[in-house]
Amino acid sequence: MADKPENDAPEKTTAEVLVDCLKAEGVSVVFGIPGEENLDLMFALKRSGIRFISTRHEQGAAFMADVYGRLTGHAGVCLATLGPGATNLVTGVADAFLDGAPLVAITGQVSSELMQLTSHQYLDLSAMFSPITKRSKVVMRPDTVAEICRLAFKYAEAPKPGATHIDLPKNVAHMPSPAHPLRRQQPPALYADPASVIEAAQLISQAKSPLILAGAGAVRANAGEAVRSLAERLHIPVVQTMMGKGIVPWDCPWRLGVVGIPQHDYIIDAFDQADLVIGVGYDLIECAPKKWHTHDDMRIVNISGLPADVNQLYEPDVEVTGDISDSIYQILRTARRDDAPEPEGLLAVGRRLREDFERLSASDAYPMKPARILADVRSVLGRSDILVSDVGAHKIWIGRDYPCYEPRTCLISNGFASMGFSVPGAIAAKLVHPERRVLAVTGDGGFMMNSQELETAVREGVPIVVLIWEDEHYGLIRWKEEEEQFGDTFGVGFSNPDFKAYAEAMHCHGYAVQSSEELVPALEDAFSHDDAPSVVVVRVDYSENMALTNRLREEYGA
């Protein structure tokens, strides 16, 4: 009997076509949890060669996809079933949406004929995900799956990146589909209007005390070299947002520090002196302008790939909209600051922040001071190694003081600021960069929100190291309670398991640091293991929180 002609081959199911589309998008790994309504998709993935990493909670899967997208620039993919599986994705999807991380979430759904009825576990997932994604669509017809998938990736990866959502009903997933993957398009490079470049260059040339404010958009645009050139050639100091850390290295003489901690920090002195702020990839969601826009005489130049968001305190005098690096180099061809004096007043702010960190990090006390922990961490990690910060009081210290040398080596959730980010995020970071050391830094509160993903790391052979700052409180909220007028704390205390035993019970290496001298050796030993993750726990002295608040209040007032 003759072989069947190729064009008579049976059509693939919608689920199989969707997986073909994922492969065409370059997807190599999917994070998620299977369920009854996504089994067609699961077995299509099994046959595809795409790596599926089964997580212990859908939130963990979404955070993994989030960090995968941050580090690669290509959308990370997470998968869940309907109902509670889908709702468990929400926090991680929202984090990617607000922080600008490309992510595609895929959910299973009841059969399409049941979507008009009161059905078991049915929610209108497209409506639920719409406020926290750039695009949320249901595959109601098999022939539309390729278009929906291509658009999901296009929207997720287009400036400003973010999350998108595809909902696949159970019966549609099983139906034959005539669709085929659509080609990825190379987005055109967009360049700034020359008139805006000239106007920006004139403002920069005329400014007496200009200041660069570099944010997450500059990191996403890989504009670090251009930002450093702008600073060095025109002698303009740089302030970074938390998500812009590393865009200018710690040892660059023009780096001042980081803006964004809740308190009125020394860095605000730089904005007090600035007559021009040059926002480069600055996103208002990272740090509200009211934190740094301190006087009415401040002018603003906005350099970004997109038109600026504006509010009453962020109305750019000039917008330079286009490829960030090209815009900066075009400005450098025109701007002249040869006669400008050295910005000694601004540089003094940077020196003061460095001296503050050096003084605080010299303490040998135990429980350990936050700055000392960060200094020890920095001594263990190389310039390109990755620190993934959870959210809590430790995030404030990391954002303010952690010395960072390269973009995307200090990952902080700061647009959505979700606890539970660090452990799953570190797993994804290690998958993307297996050659680097990856450290998750977390409080004891945030750790227990997604500590179950340690089992995922063990099973998948991902040897991350987790450093827990233990104080048995939701430390950031306790800090805010102590700062406010209440004169008391409430609802922020809890107890912990023996974290060393907890780690070992999950087949990880466990370390309990008992003195400040033990932290560096414990971290070095933890990083020596490539067979399993390691967990290091250290007691932290968070009396430093209010000590910082009181120092700043003494200088700047309440």
Side-chain angles (χ1 to χ4, degrees):
M1 181 182 290
D3 291 338
K4 263 188 177 182
E6 191 173 329
N7 59 4
D8 286 344
E11 287 184 315
K12 293 185 175 183
T13 66
T14 305
E16 290 171 328
V17 173
L18 177 54
V19 171
D20 286 346
C21 292
L22 296 182
K23 293 180 70 174
E25 296 290 345
V27 174
S28 60
V29 60
V30 172
F31 308 96
I33 295 182
E36 182 181 345
E37 284 71 23
N38 60 21
L39 292 181
D40 281 277
L41 193 56
M42 287 297 301
F43 280 90
L45 282 170
K46 181 178 181 179
R47 294 186 291 268
S48 72
I50 294 175
R51 183 179 183 180
F52 180 76
I53 294 182
S54 179
T55 62
R56 301 306 300 267
H57 194 284
E58 292 87 354
Q59 185 183 117
F63 280 137
M64 291 178 200
D66 175 334
V67 169
Y68 187 95
R70 290 175 196 241
L71 290 175
T72 65
H74 300 293
V77 180
C78 54
L79 170 67
T81 190
L82 80 173
T87 59
N88 284 345
L89 284 178
V90 164
T91 298
V93 171
D95 189 85
F97 177 62
L98 290 187
D99 278 18
L103 175 150
V104 174
I106 303 173
T107 53
Q109 185 55 280
V110 299
S111 294
S112 56
E113 73 273 8
L114 299 177
M115 294 171 69
Q116 313 306 318
L117 307 172
T118 301
S119 302
H120 177 66
Q121 291 191 315
Y122 171 68
L123 294 173
D124 185 344
L125 297 181
S126 181
M128 185 180 80
F129 278 98
S130 288
I132 57 169
T133 59
K134 298 174 72 177
R135 178 182 172 89
S136 178
K137 295 294 178 181
V138 186
V139 183
M140 293 298 291
R141 291 174 28 182
D143 60 342
T144 64
V145 63
E147 297 164 339
I148 288 173
C149 185
R150 174 80 279 273
L151 286 167
F153 279 83
K154 185 172 184 176
Y155 275 68
E157 295 172 356
K160 170 186 170 182
T164 59
H165 168 239
I166 300 171
D167 195 30
L168 182 61
K170 181 179 180 181
N171 63 325
V172 178
H174 193 67
M175 292 177 184
S177 170
H180 57 81
L182 303 185
R183 294 190 304 274
R184 286 178 62 90
Q185 302 89 24
Q186 182 65 33
L190 301 177
Y191 299 105
D193 175 12
S196 69
V197 170
I198 292 171
E199 192 174 353
Q202 288 174 342
L203 280 179
I204 293 170
S205 299
Q206 295 164 4
K208 295 179 180 178
S209 188
L211 186 64
I212 297 168
L213 174 58
V219 173
R220 288 192 292 265
N222 299 311
E225 185 177 339
V227 173
R228 290 191 294 275
S229 295
L230 182 64
E232 291 168 356
R233 288 168 58 180
L234 299 184
H235 290 195
I236 304 176
V238 183
V239 174
Q240 299 155 98
T241 64
M242 287 193 187
M243 292 198 293
K245 281 179 74 76
I247 197 75
V248 172
W250 170 267
D251 51 5
C252 172
W254 301 103
R255 177 201 174 275
L256 298 188
V258 171
V259 68
I261 76 167
Q263 294 74 20
H264 185 110
D265 201 3
Y266 306 136
I267 195 68
I268 304 303
D269 287 346
F271 290 95
D272 288 339
Q273 298 175 46
D275 60 343
L276 176 69
V277 171
I278 307 164
V280 182
Y282 165 65
D283 189 334
L284 274 64
I285 203 167
E286 302 179 73
C287 176
K290 68 179 181 180
K291 291 183 180 292
W292 54 263
H293 195 292
T294 59
H295 58 91
D296 294 336
D297 296 332
M298 183 184 291
R299 305 192 75 179
I300 295 172
V301 170
N302 189 80
I303 304 173
S304 184
L306 292 171
D309 281 331
V310 297
N311 67 22
Q312 292 179 357
L313 295 178
Y314 198 78
E315 297 182 273
D317 296 87
V318 181
E319 289 195 51
V320 184
T321 305
D323 180 270
I324 291 177
S325 294
D326 180 77
S327 296
I328 289 173
Y329 291 128
Q330 293 296 336
I331 288 170
L332 284 172
R333 290 187 177 94
T334 306
R336 294 290 179 270
R337 294 186 53 78
D338 300 331
D339 299 329
E342 289 295 281
E344 279 302 321
L346 295 176
L347 296 176
V349 174
R351 287 194 296 271
R352 185 176 188 188
L353 283 161
R354 281 187 175 86
E355 291 165 0
D356 196 49
F357 176 61
E358 290 168 2
R359 178 179 58 81
L360 293 173
S361 63
S363 171
D364 291 329
Y366 194 87
M368 293 181 70
K369 306 293 186 184
R372 170 62 187 272
I373 297 175
L374 293 180
D376 286 357
V377 165
R378 183 69 273 174
S379 72
V380 169
L381 296 182
R383 291 173 75 101
S384 298
D385 290 334
I386 298 172
L387 183 153
V388 183
S389 173
D390 215 279
V391 172
H394 64 280
K395 186 190 91 167
I396 304 303
W397 291 100
I398 290 169
R400 182 182 192 262
D401 287 334
Y402 176 66
C404 190
Y405 294 94
E406 297 178 13
R408 298 188 180 93
T409 60
C410 181
L411 304 183
I412 297 177
S413 169
N414 205 45
F416 195 55
S418 174
M419 296 175 70
F421 172 79
S422 64
V423 173
I427 293 171
K430 188 66 175 176
L431 289 168
V432 174
H433 290 295
E435 76 286 0
R436 302 188 193 182
R437 290 182 168 185
V438 175
L439 178 70
V441 178
T442 179
D444 41 8
F447 173 72
M448 291 301 289
M449 291 187 178
N450 272 319
S451 64
Q452 73 281 347
E453 299 307 339
L454 285 174
E455 189 280 328
T456 305
V458 170
R459 175 170 25 93
E460 295 292 331
V462 185
I464 62 169
V465 175
V466 180
L467 177 61
I468 303 171
W469 296 25
E470 184 176 24
D471 76 319
E472 297 175 338
H473 284 85
Y474 292 115
L476 184 58
I477 306 307
R478 181 183 184 182
W479 190 355
K480 293 303 295 182
E481 288 180 344
E482 290 172 336
E483 280 188 324
E484 300 295 338
Q485 72 274 17
F486 305 108
D488 198 0
T489 63
F490 180 71
V492 291
F494 48 77
S495 62
N496 286 322
D498 178 335
F499 284 124
K500 180 177 183 294
Y502 184 93
E504 291 168 347
M506 297 186 78
H507 309 292
C508 300
H509 303 280
Y511 302 82
V513 172
Q514 302 296 333
S515 70
S516 60
E517 292 78 16
E518 293 180 17
L519 179 56
V520 169
L523 288 172
E524 289 287 8
D525 195 64
F527 278 115
S528 72
H529 299 292
D530 57 9
D531 61 328
S534 297
V535 176
V536 181
V537 59
V538 60
R539 296 289 301 184
V540 61
D541 178 8
Y542 272 147
S543 68
E544 284 300 302
N545 295 346
M546 281 306 295
L548 175 62
T549 291
N550 291 332
R551 288 199 307 275
L552 296 175
R553 281 180 173 170
E554 286 175 10
E555 181 146 355
Y556 299 108

